[in-house]
Amino acid sequence: MEFNLSEHPHRRYNPLNGEYVLVSPHRTKRPWQGQVEKSEEAKRPEYDPDCYLCPGNERAGGERNPNYENTFVFTNDFAALTLESPAGSYEVGGLLHARSEVGICRVVCFSPRHDLTLPELTVDDIEKVIELWQNEYRTLGESPQINYVQIFENKGKMMGCSNPHPHGQIWAQNTVPNAPATEGKYQGDHYQRFQRSLLADYLSIELEQQERIVLENDHFVALVPFWAVWPYEIMIISKRHIQSILQFTDEEKTAYAKILQQLTTRYDNLFETSFPYSAGIHQAPTDGMDHLEWHFHHHFYPPLLRSATVKKFMVGYEMLGDPQRDITPEMAAEQLRKLPDVHYKNKAIEV
Ligand code: H2U
Ligand code: ZN
């Protein structure tokens, strides 16, 4: 019997962080006796007087939102990091080690409309979100105290998101946090060895194999990474080796907005539900160095496994050993590839 990625258990390597995922494709054949059901989605109003993100409303901290027409960003009223906290460190016996951390946390409203989500915004509207991200990355990063800017979105109750109003967050801080620090190191090793971007080299393999690509336009590719941990995990990678969102041409900005809209629509269509995920941009630190090793990309980590209500749990062996998956990244990509680009909520209007 010859080893086959689509049938036999194996471990896959993630070259961005050096970790492994256990893939058990044969287990997709086991019977499933759990529930498969659609989630109940209440229809939301365009404006909710009780929402702390809607235009004109008062927030928990007592401040009032302006009557914004496109996007709106403010400093988190319950920020995890502030610039005011005192510098200092704590050391005991060489094993207990802590250092103070400073930063700025921002909340980004994608739209004044309470009832919309990213896939339901127009490409023009998504471009405005991208422009806001560019502006925040630049201005926050200019501060000498800020060496890294993490732009992200937590979507859906399942992900602990506190409010359905379309929004994301930005945490900007003094230290590069674990995930991008590790990715930076691995990209750096590759760049030093070959003078080429790790993700550009990876992308050329994917474009050649065509097994895990879900969407592609002139400037971006959305694919299920070979080493994906979450069932429908996606990475959007820029075709051009750029270090950050600030290097986008106008054409790239539009192409990025389009692939974001298309991907999130496919996600919603998969289980005909507003698809929950945590997603975020990984790009170069803002410490003033070139960081030519960095290649812009956007990770999507969605928890759903086989319906709008059945999610993957990272438990048991996964907490103690390696993360594990049953459906292969190739199977997940094929499923996402076959889905329509028309949002399921608009299906009736299309026919
Ligand atoms: P989620 O993306 O997890 O839903 O978080 C929204 C953030 O909004 C959360 O970090 C902040 C919370 O601290 N927030 C305010 O800044 N002002 C408010 O009035 C309520 C919530
Ligand atoms: Zn990354």
Side-chain angles (χ1 to χ4, degrees):
M1 203 170 24
E2 209 173 312
F3 169 61
N4 179 334
L5 282 180
S6 60
E7 278 177 54
H8 307 122
H10 58 275
R11 294 171 86 225
R12 292 194 188 191
Y13 176 70
N14 180 343
L16 269 177
N17 64 16
E19 291 183 1
Y20 286 85
V21 54
L22 179 62
V23 187
S24 317
H26 59 293
R27 286 178 94 217
T28 52
K29 297 186 185 92
R30 91 201 137 116
W32 166 252
Q33 295 191 316
Q35 288 168 299
V36 174
E37 55 190 39
K38 286 197 176 171
S39 68
E40 289 297 316
E41 282 175 28
K43 196 165 159 29
R44 300 200 300 276
E46 286 186 23
Y47 166 76
D48 177 352
D50 295 323
C51 168
Y52 58 78
L53 297 178
C54 273
N57 290 358
E58 194 177 292
R59 298 203 304 274
E63 279 198 59
R64 191 168 285 282
N65 299 327
N67 280 312
Y68 65 97
E69 284 177 6
N70 298 300
T71 57
F72 171 53
V73 59
F74 61 92
T75 296
N76 199 312
D77 299 306
F78 308 95
L81 292 162
T82 70
L83 286 180
E84 284 78 46
S85 61
S89 62
Y90 176 89
E91 300 286 345
V92 177
L95 289 175
L96 308 192
H97 168 80
R99 210 173 67 90
S100 68
E101 179 71 353
V102 292
I104 304 169
C105 297
R106 309 268 279 162
V107 179
V108 179
C109 299
F110 296 160
S111 162
R113 286 272 301 266
H114 185 78
D115 57 329
L116 299 181
T117 57
L118 210 50
E120 296 161 292
L121 300 185
T122 64
V123 169
D124 271 3
D125 288 340
I126 299 175
E127 282 191 47
K128 291 188 181 106
V129 175
I130 297 166
E131 284 161 13
L132 184 149
W133 285 340
Q134 288 176 315
N135 200 38
E136 289 293 305
Y137 177 79
R138 192 185 60 251
T139 51
L140 290 166
E142 271 166 8
S143 158
Q145 282 163 289
I146 300 298
N147 294 316
Y148 185 76
V149 178
Q150 183 58 57
I151 296 169
F152 66 100
E153 179 189 3
N154 255 349
K155 181 168 171 261
K157 258 196 235 135
M158 201 177 265
M159 298 308 294
C161 179
S162 62
N163 185 332
H165 192 113
H167 72 282
Q169 295 191 47
I170 300 173
W171 292 20
Q173 65 191 92
N174 188 248
T175 314
V176 183
N178 291 337
T182 305
E183 290 190 2
K185 181 187 170 302
Y186 278 81
Q187 289 178 101
D189 291 348
H190 187 94
Y191 192 76
Q192 236 186 354
R193 253 177 88 194
F194 305 108
Q195 279 74 57
R196 287 193 314 264
S197 143
L198 188 160
L199 284 181
D201 283 356
Y202 171 58
L203 203 52
S204 64
I205 298 172
E206 289 291 3
L207 288 168
E208 167 88 30
Q209 292 197 337
Q210 292 285 330
E211 282 186 73
R212 286 166 294 272
I213 292 178
V214 174
L215 296 164
E216 180 184 355
N217 62 31
D218 285 348
H219 302 287
F220 293 88
V221 175
L223 52 82
V224 182
F226 180 73
W227 52 84
V229 165
W230 295 93
Y232 297 97
E233 181 174 330
I234 286 274
M235 249 172 103
I236 297 178
I237 307 173
S238 60
K239 286 190 175 172
R240 203 156 63 90
H241 175 204
I242 48 176
Q243 285 67 57
S244 86
I245 197 168
L246 297 181
Q247 287 158 281
F248 283 0
T249 61
D250 283 347
E251 258 187 42
E252 282 171 328
K253 186 176 65 183
T254 307
Y256 182 40
K258 281 188 179 153
I259 207 161
L260 281 172
Q261 190 201 47
Q262 221 183 340
L263 172 65
T264 51
T265 301
R266 297 274 182 110
Y267 266 167
D268 280 9
N269 288 345
L270 183 62
F271 299 128
E272 302 211 340
T273 192
S274 184
F275 203 68
Y277 56 72
S278 275
I281 295 170
H282 274 161
Q283 52 189 334
T286 55
D287 55 5
M289 319 263 256
D290 283 344
H291 286 293
L292 291 176
E293 75 281 13
W294 263 96
H295 190 133
F296 172 92
H297 60 277
H298 196 143
H299 292 281
F300 283 80
Y301 301 125
L304 290 181
L305 180 59
R306 67 184 101 231
S307 77
T309 56
V310 179
K311 67 174 279 219
K312 172 183 179 59
F313 287 96
M314 283 282 193
V315 293
Y317 177 82
E318 314 199 283
M319 290 182 104
L320 295 150
D322 284 334
Q324 185 270 343
R325 62 182 296 137
D326 296 346
I327 95 162
T328 62
E330 296 73 33
M331 288 161 74
E334 195 186 348
Q335 267 179 288
L336 290 168
R337 216 169 22 236
K338 284 185 181 153
L339 291 168
D341 281 319
V342 179
H343 197 274
Y344 72 93
K345 284 191 193 163
N346 297 330
K347 250 192 328 206
I349 302 164
E350 276 304 296
V351 273

